[in-house]
Amino acid sequence: MIFNQGWINLYKPKNITSFRAINSIKKKFLINKIGHSGTLDPMAEGVLPVAIGKATKLIPFISNMYKSYEFTVTWGIQTSTDDSEGKILFKSDYLPNREEIEKKIISYFGHINQTPPKVSAVKIDGKRAYKLFRENKLFNIQPKKVFIKNLSIIDHYKNKTSFKILCGKGFYVRSLARDLALDLKTFGHISSLKRSKVGKFTEKTSILLDDLLKIGQMQK
């Protein structure tokens, strides 16, 4: 099986970087030119469109498309990374109820200003924010305009709420969890995150990374 150009609708598993995922495809299939649209955090899983050959020129167009995520916010704890991987920074005993959350999320629809997490690929004076964070450097990230088309609650438990969101380019779900929690007079972080759709690339039509690599093994 030889890939020359086109797209792979990849399903990235948890605990692997987006770069490592596409690099494993590059090595397995001996691909010269490869790229992906919309980096997924290592702890996140889901749809990662992979472009090969001339298709890499279309990456900016795919990146501009709406993305769907399903995620869970754990209330009462804020972390250094805004997800369950980071160190605990703040705690609160206050846990919002479903009615309070539903009332608050309405104000997030449309264009909002959002400050990306400290651990992100945002560039600060030419250097990635996550690298500065690892070096224990002090730095500030400027907020930017992002867009939420839809946001709804899937499930609510005492200290956790699961949501579904449809959002635009450059959106950080981890930032939403942090900001929403603060608006609800508590703290919060992402405890699970899945991207189910990028434009027309959907979870249903995606291929698992392991399955794709097995196909490459069979060709040898």
Side-chain angles (χ1 to χ4, degrees), residues 17-46:
T17 64
S18 297
F19 174 79
R20 190 176 155 199
I22 69 163
N23 204 42
S24 62
I25 297 169
K26 183 178 182 178
K27 287 180 178 179
K28 179 65 74 175
F29 296 99
L30 305 174
I31 298 166
N32 290 323
K33 199 171 186 182
I34 190 169
H36 66 274
S37 174
T39 301
L40 274 173
D41 295 335
M43 72 154 282
E45 61 181 292

Short mmCIF file of all heavy atoms in Angstrom, two decimals, residues 17-46:
data_model
loop_
_atom_site.label_atom_id
_atom_site.label_comp_id
_atom_site.label_asym_id
_atom_site.label_seq_id
_atom_site.Cartn_x
_atom_site.Cartn_y
_atom_site.Cartn_z
N THR A 17 1.49 12.24 21.08
CA THR A 17 1.38 13.56 20.45
C THR A 17 0.91 13.42 19.01
O THR A 17 1.11 12.35 18.39
CB THR A 17 2.73 14.31 20.47
OG1 THR A 17 3.67 13.58 19.66
CG2 THR A 17 3.27 14.47 21.89
N SER A 18 0.35 14.47 18.46
CA SER A 18 -0.08 14.47 17.06
C SER A 18 1.13 14.27 16.14
O SER A 18 1.06 13.54 15.15
CB SER A 18 -0.78 15.79 16.72
OG SER A 18 -1.95 15.94 17.49
N PHE A 19 2.25 14.90 16.52
CA PHE A 19 3.48 14.77 15.72
C PHE A 19 3.96 13.32 15.68
O PHE A 19 4.31 12.80 14.63
CB PHE A 19 4.59 15.66 16.29
CG PHE A 19 5.92 15.47 15.62
CD1 PHE A 19 6.18 16.05 14.39
CD2 PHE A 19 6.91 14.68 16.21
CE1 PHE A 19 7.41 15.85 13.75
CE2 PHE A 19 8.14 14.48 15.59
CZ PHE A 19 8.38 15.07 14.35
N ARG A 20 3.95 12.67 16.85
CA ARG A 20 4.41 11.28 16.91
C ARG A 20 3.49 10.37 16.10
O ARG A 20 3.94 9.41 15.46
CB ARG A 20 4.45 10.81 18.37
CG ARG A 20 5.13 9.47 18.55
CD ARG A 20 5.24 9.11 20.02
NE ARG A 20 5.32 7.66 20.19
CZ ARG A 20 5.08 7.04 21.33
NH1 ARG A 20 4.73 7.72 22.40
NH2 ARG A 20 5.18 5.74 21.42
N ALA A 21 2.18 10.66 16.13
CA ALA A 21 1.22 9.85 15.37
C ALA A 21 1.50 9.91 13.87
O ALA A 21 1.57 8.86 13.21
CB ALA A 21 -0.20 10.33 15.67
N ILE A 22 1.68 11.11 13.34
CA ILE A 22 1.90 11.20 11.88
C ILE A 22 3.32 10.78 11.51
O ILE A 22 3.56 10.31 10.41
CB ILE A 22 1.56 12.60 11.31
CG1 ILE A 22 2.54 13.67 11.78
CG2 ILE A 22 0.14 12.98 11.59
CD1 ILE A 22 2.49 14.93 10.92
N ASN A 23 4.25 10.92 12.44
CA ASN A 23 5.63 10.49 12.17
C ASN A 23 5.70 8.97 12.03
O ASN A 23 6.48 8.44 11.23
CB ASN A 23 6.56 10.97 13.28
CG ASN A 23 8.00 11.08 12.81
OD1 ASN A 23 8.26 11.55 11.71
ND2 ASN A 23 8.93 10.64 13.63
N SER A 24 4.88 8.26 12.81
CA SER A 24 4.85 6.80 12.72
C SER A 24 4.28 6.35 11.37
O SER A 24 4.71 5.35 10.80
CB SER A 24 4.03 6.20 13.86
OG SER A 24 2.69 6.62 13.81
N ILE A 25 3.32 7.13 10.83
CA ILE A 25 2.75 6.84 9.51
C ILE A 25 3.81 7.12 8.43
O ILE A 25 3.99 6.34 7.50
CB ILE A 25 1.49 7.70 9.25
CG1 ILE A 25 0.40 7.36 10.27
CG2 ILE A 25 0.98 7.51 7.83
CD1 ILE A 25 -0.76 8.34 10.28
N LYS A 26 4.51 8.24 8.60
CA LYS A 26 5.55 8.63 7.65
C LYS A 26 6.62 7.55 7.51
O LYS A 26 7.02 7.18 6.40
CB LYS A 26 6.19 9.94 8.11
CG LYS A 26 7.24 10.49 7.15
CD LYS A 26 7.79 11.81 7.65
CE LYS A 26 8.80 12.37 6.65
NZ LYS A 26 9.31 13.70 7.08
N LYS A 27 7.06 7.01 8.65
CA LYS A 27 8.10 5.98 8.65
C LYS A 27 7.59 4.65 8.10
O LYS A 27 8.29 3.97 7.34
CB LYS A 27 8.64 5.78 10.07
CG LYS A 27 9.52 6.92 10.54
CD LYS A 27 10.02 6.66 11.95
CE LYS A 27 10.94 7.79 12.40
NZ LYS A 27 11.42 7.57 13.80
N LYS A 28 6.38 4.28 8.51
CA LYS A 28 5.82 2.98 8.09
C LYS A 28 5.59 2.91 6.58
O LYS A 28 5.86 1.90 5.94
CB LYS A 28 4.50 2.72 8.83
CG LYS A 28 3.81 1.42 8.49
CD LYS A 28 4.62 0.20 8.89
CE LYS A 28 4.58 -0.02 10.39
NZ LYS A 28 5.28 -1.27 10.77
N PHE A 29 5.10 4.01 6.00
CA PHE A 29 4.75 4.01 4.58
C PHE A 29 5.76 4.75 3.70
O PHE A 29 5.52 4.96 2.51
CB PHE A 29 3.35 4.59 4.37
CG PHE A 29 2.26 3.78 5.02
CD1 PHE A 29 1.73 4.15 6.25
CD2 PHE A 29 1.80 2.62 4.42
CE1 PHE A 29 0.73 3.40 6.86
CE2 PHE A 29 0.80 1.85 5.02
CZ PHE A 29 0.27 2.24 6.25
N LEU A 30 6.88 5.17 4.32
CA LEU A 30 7.96 5.86 3.60
C LEU A 30 7.44 7.07 2.82
O LEU A 30 7.68 7.22 1.62
CB LEU A 30 8.68 4.89 2.65
CG LEU A 30 9.25 3.62 3.30
CD1 LEU A 30 9.81 2.68 2.25
CD2 LEU A 30 10.31 3.97 4.33
N ILE A 31 6.70 7.91 3.53
CA ILE A 31 6.10 9.11 2.92
C ILE A 31 7.05 10.29 3.06
O ILE A 31 7.62 10.52 4.13
CB ILE A 31 4.75 9.44 3.59
CG1 ILE A 31 3.75 8.29 3.39
CG2 ILE A 31 4.17 10.74 3.05
CD1 ILE A 31 2.53 8.35 4.28
N ASN A 32 7.23 11.03 1.98
CA ASN A 32 8.15 12.18 2.01
C ASN A 32 7.50 13.42 2.62
O ASN A 32 8.10 14.09 3.46
CB ASN A 32 8.64 12.51 0.59
CG ASN A 32 9.58 11.44 0.05
OD1 ASN A 32 10.38 10.89 0.80
ND2 ASN A 32 9.47 11.16 -1.23
N LYS A 33 6.30 13.72 2.17
CA LYS A 33 5.63 14.95 2.61
C LYS A 33 4.33 14.63 3.32
O LYS A 33 3.42 14.03 2.72
CB LYS A 33 5.37 15.86 1.40
CG LYS A 33 5.12 17.30 1.75
CD LYS A 33 5.10 18.17 0.50
CE LYS A 33 4.99 19.63 0.87
NZ LYS A 33 4.92 20.50 -0.33
N ILE A 34 4.23 15.01 4.59
CA ILE A 34 3.04 14.70 5.38
C ILE A 34 2.81 15.81 6.39
O ILE A 34 3.74 16.47 6.87
CB ILE A 34 3.21 13.33 6.10
CG1 ILE A 34 1.90 12.86 6.75
CG2 ILE A 34 4.34 13.38 7.12
CD1 ILE A 34 1.93 11.41 7.23
N GLY A 35 1.55 16.06 6.71
CA GLY A 35 1.18 17.08 7.69
C GLY A 35 -0.19 16.78 8.25
O GLY A 35 -0.87 15.86 7.80
N HIS A 36 -0.59 17.56 9.26
CA HIS A 36 -1.92 17.33 9.84
C HIS A 36 -2.61 18.66 10.12
O HIS A 36 -1.97 19.70 10.22
CB HIS A 36 -1.83 16.51 11.13
CG HIS A 36 -1.12 17.22 12.24
ND1 HIS A 36 0.24 17.19 12.39
CD2 HIS A 36 -1.59 17.97 13.27
CE1 HIS A 36 0.58 17.90 13.44
NE2 HIS A 36 -0.51 18.39 14.00
N SER A 37 -3.91 18.58 10.24
CA SER A 37 -4.73 19.77 10.49
C SER A 37 -5.25 19.76 11.92
O SER A 37 -5.96 18.83 12.32
CB SER A 37 -5.91 19.80 9.51
OG SER A 37 -6.78 20.86 9.82
N GLY A 38 -4.88 20.77 12.70
CA GLY A 38 -5.42 20.90 14.06
C GLY A 38 -4.80 19.94 15.05
O GLY A 38 -5.25 18.80 15.18
N THR A 39 -3.76 20.39 15.74
CA THR A 39 -3.07 19.55 16.73
C THR A 39 -4.02 19.13 17.85
O THR A 39 -4.79 19.94 18.35
CB THR A 39 -1.88 20.32 17.33
OG1 THR A 39 -0.97 20.66 16.28
CG2 THR A 39 -1.14 19.48 18.35
N LEU A 40 -3.92 17.86 18.24
CA LEU A 40 -4.66 17.35 19.39
C LEU A 40 -3.69 17.16 20.55
O LEU A 40 -2.56 16.68 20.35
CB LEU A 40 -5.30 15.99 19.07
CG LEU A 40 -6.68 15.99 18.40
CD1 LEU A 40 -7.06 14.57 18.02
CD2 LEU A 40 -7.75 16.60 19.28
N ASP A 41 -4.10 17.54 21.76
CA ASP A 41 -3.26 17.35 22.95
C ASP A 41 -2.94 15.86 23.11
O ASP A 41 -3.74 15.00 22.70
CB ASP A 41 -4.00 17.82 24.21
CG ASP A 41 -4.25 19.31 24.22
OD1 ASP A 41 -3.48 20.04 23.55
OD2 ASP A 41 -5.20 19.75 24.90
N PRO A 42 -1.81 15.54 23.74
CA PRO A 42 -1.48 14.12 23.97
C PRO A 42 -2.58 13.36 24.72
O PRO A 42 -2.87 12.22 24.39
CB PRO A 42 -0.20 14.21 24.82
CG PRO A 42 0.45 15.48 24.39
CD PRO A 42 -0.69 16.42 24.13
N MET A 43 -3.22 14.01 25.72
CA MET A 43 -4.26 13.31 26.49
C MET A 43 -5.59 13.20 25.73
O MET A 43 -6.48 12.46 26.13
CB MET A 43 -4.51 14.02 27.82
CG MET A 43 -5.22 15.34 27.71
SD MET A 43 -6.17 15.82 29.19
CE MET A 43 -7.63 14.82 29.03
N ALA A 44 -5.70 13.93 24.62
CA ALA A 44 -6.94 13.91 23.83
C ALA A 44 -6.91 12.81 22.78
O ALA A 44 -5.85 12.40 22.31
CB ALA A 44 -7.15 15.26 23.15
N GLU A 45 -8.09 12.34 22.41
CA GLU A 45 -8.21 11.37 21.33
C GLU A 45 -9.15 11.93 20.27
O GLU A 45 -9.86 12.90 20.51
CB GLU A 45 -8.77 10.05 21.86
CG GLU A 45 -10.15 10.16 22.47
CD GLU A 45 -10.65 8.83 23.02
OE1 GLU A 45 -10.90 7.92 22.20
OE2 GLU A 45 -10.77 8.70 24.25
N GLY A 46 -9.14 11.29 19.10
CA GLY A 46 -10.12 11.68 18.10
C GLY A 46 -9.58 11.96 16.71
O GLY A 46 -8.46 11.59 16.37
#
